[in-house]
Amino acid sequence: MPAKSKAQQMAAGAALSAKRGETKKGELKGASKEMYESMSEKQLEEFAETKRKGLPYKKD
């Protein structure tokens, strides 16, 4: 499932980085923290690899 906004794509990237141990879990905030706890690494990869071109910054 691709991300529906740039903000969602960036949050997924941050959560994925923490899942892989590249950043600390304690550095996550808001949506990225929730994604870290509720999604698998594979799901996060799908969101994070979404191309940003044409996506709104935030979905209404």
Side-chain angles (χ1 to χ4, degrees):
M1 171 184 245
K4 301 204 185 288
S5 69
K6 291 178 185 179
Q8 190 178 45
Q9 188 265 348
M10 290 187 293
L16 180 60
S17 177
K19 278 260 192 208
R20 292 180 174 168
E22 297 167 359
T23 59
K24 295 179 183 177
K25 179 185 171 192
E27 294 177 7
L28 299 177
K29 299 177 188 175
S32 59
K33 189 172 187 177
E34 290 178 28
M35 289 176 148
Y36 174 87
E37 295 169 353
S38 66
M39 298 175 78
S40 70
E41 188 172 334
K42 182 168 175 39
Q43 290 173 316
L44 289 170
E45 284 176 358
E46 290 176 7
F47 273 78
E49 70 184 9
T50 303
K51 302 293 183 212
R52 289 192 207 181
K53 187 174 183 178
L55 290 178
Y57 183 76
K58 278 190 156 182
K59 184 156 170 48
D60 293 329

